[in-house]
Amino acid sequence: CTPAAPGREGCQGPAAPSRFKETSPAPYVRRVGWLREIQATIREHKREHAVHILRLLRKDLGLEGTFLNEVLYKNATFLNLVDPISHDLLMSLARDLQCPKKEYDPWKSSDRICRQLIYHLTPHSKWHRLKNSLQKKVSQGSMDLSGIPLTMRDVHRMAYYLQNNGDHLTSVDLSFTELNDDMVRLLLPFLWALPKLTHLSLNGNRLTRATMKELTDTMKDMNKFPCLAWVDLGNNVDVSSMPQPLLVGLRKRLSLQTTLPTIYEALDCDPEMPSGQEGGWPEGEEAGSTPRHAVLQQGCER
């Protein structure tokens, strides 16, 4: 039977049958195909066609702008991006294609950027990752299944593992594993119950905004994902930016885990601090009093 979600007793009924592999390729396959086509068209000196393909790629990744200025000046469309690395590389590629410099061969530069994008947008060396994952000690606190296609049956087994052995995990990498919304929906209750989880990678899958919404709603409860610092959702179907409530939830959890050595913190325990000067410095410093820079240094040391 399927393990019950944390906080629920018993089983959730018989395990769902394994899902067959999706008939259509994952989104990253289409995007890499466009990048290879850009490389080919540049070799043939068909720069206008390469610019057209680049626009398709940017739109597919959620970068809706079609003009170079909209990319270079990072307007509101590009705030809170889930994949800033792709954004920066696409900016460089747009510069090379639309504003080529005469003093060097633009083909070499554009080809190099395309290769960097292909590497970033694809899984690499999945068997090496699997070997390393199996050899890692449990004490290292990470689960790395990146690049290994998972079925629904695999996800049920993973849920059972997380429920019984997940207390030590600080990082879970499920990038490029063919996950869809239904799979993540099943896993979420077991992931949010992990007490030490700080990093969750879901990039390169088949996830849509539906998963983003569920994750955002989950983060509103501070008892779920108590230590999560970041989640990677880039290179999915139509997830391009992080909703503000999700970012706020991550920021709240991070502030609970760290104490910044601010000046205010260094002074707020002083019972003699006059009212109205909270976090500031008295106007008159008596002779022999601790110099201001010394207190600042104490704050930094804390």
Side-chain angles (χ1 to χ4, degrees):
C1 70
T2 306
R8 304 173 187 172
E9 297 182 357
C11 300
Q12 293 180 330
S18 299
R19 293 174 62 95
F20 290 100
K21 205 169 185 179
E22 300 280 353
T23 55
S24 61
Y28 77 84
V29 177
R30 175 178 64 251
R31 291 158 186 164
V32 170
W34 278 331
L35 285 166
R36 297 197 188 283
E37 189 174 353
I38 289 175
Q39 289 178 302
T41 54
I42 294 176
R43 290 192 196 101
E44 298 170 359
H45 303 287
K46 298 179 180 178
R47 188 169 300 278
E48 291 184 3
H49 185 53
V51 171
H52 172 69
I53 301 171
L54 176 59
R55 288 175 176 174
L56 294 177
L57 176 60
R58 294 213 312 257
K59 186 174 182 180
D60 196 52
L61 284 168
L63 306 177
E64 299 293 343
T66 57
F67 295 102
L68 180 61
N69 286 347
E70 295 178 359
V71 179
L72 297 182
Y73 294 104
K74 301 183 181 180
N75 67 358
T77 307
F78 308 107
L79 297 178
N80 301 337
L81 290 176
V82 297
D83 189 1
I85 295 177
S86 289
H87 174 241
D88 289 341
L89 288 172
L90 287 170
M91 280 204 311
S92 299
L93 185 57
R95 287 193 192 97
D96 274 8
L97 292 179
Q98 297 189 33
C99 307
K101 295 182 179 180
K102 297 180 180 180
E103 56 267 24
Y104 67 95
D105 185 357
W107 149 243
K108 292 183 180 179
S109 177
S110 299
D111 183 69
R112 175 180 55 81
I113 297 170
C114 286
R115 284 187 280 110
Q116 290 175 329
L117 273 164
I118 290 172
Y119 182 84
H120 175 63
L121 293 175
T122 55
H124 20 272
S125 188
K126 66 180 181 181
W127 298 118
H128 177 69
R129 286 175 174 270
L130 176 59
K131 181 180 178 182
N132 285 348
S133 180
L134 294 174
Q135 291 178 343
K136 282 181 179 178
K137 296 181 180 179
V138 175
S139 60
Q140 288 184 324
S142 64
M143 173 190 285
D144 186 354
L145 300 178
S146 175
I148 304 172
L150 301 177
T151 64
M152 184 62 85
R153 186 177 297 276
D154 296 327
V155 171
H156 279 271
R157 292 171 178 167
M158 189 190 313
Y160 181 81
Y161 174 82
L162 293 175
Q163 185 178 32
N164 294 278
N165 305 282
D167 288 350
H168 67 284
L169 290 176
T170 59
S171 174
V172 174
D173 189 345
L174 300 175
S175 57
F176 300 101
T177 54
E178 300 287 333
L179 286 181
N180 57 33
D181 292 336
D182 292 336
M183 294 175 175
V184 173
R185 187 177 298 112
L186 187 150
L187 277 177
L188 267 182
F190 303 93
L191 290 169
W192 76 46
L194 300 180
K196 298 181 180 180
L197 183 66
T198 59
H199 290 79
L200 176 62
S201 297
L202 299 172
N203 55 300
N205 288 300
R206 301 173 180 271
L207 306 181
T208 70
R209 295 175 186 175
T211 290
M212 177 71 84
K213 184 179 185 305
E214 288 194 29
L215 190 59
T216 301
D217 292 340
T218 299
M219 293 295 289
K220 295 176 182 178
D221 185 349
M222 293 296 292
N223 293 319
K224 299 174 180 178
F225 288 116
C227 294
L228 191 64
W230 190 246
V231 54
D232 188 350
L233 286 159
N235 201 15
N236 276 286
V237 177
D238 59 356
V239 180
S240 57
S241 62
M242 299 281 279
Q244 195 65 23
L246 179 56
L247 293 173
V248 170
L250 291 169
R251 190 176 301 128
K252 285 181 179 178
R253 285 160 175 78
L254 186 61
S255 65
L256 291 177
Q257 301 170 49
T258 59
T259 303
L260 298 177
T262 60
I263 299 175
Y264 177 84
E265 180 189 348
L267 300 176
D268 60 5
C269 58
D270 187 356
E272 301 298 325
M273 178 69 69
S275 60
Q277 295 181 356
E278 187 174 322
W281 193 268
E283 292 183 0
E285 294 183 5
E286 297 180 2
S289 63
T290 304
R292 182 181 308 188
H293 65 82
V295 176
L296 297 180
Q297 181 63 32
Q298 291 172 8
C300 294
E301 290 175 353
R302 291 184 60 186

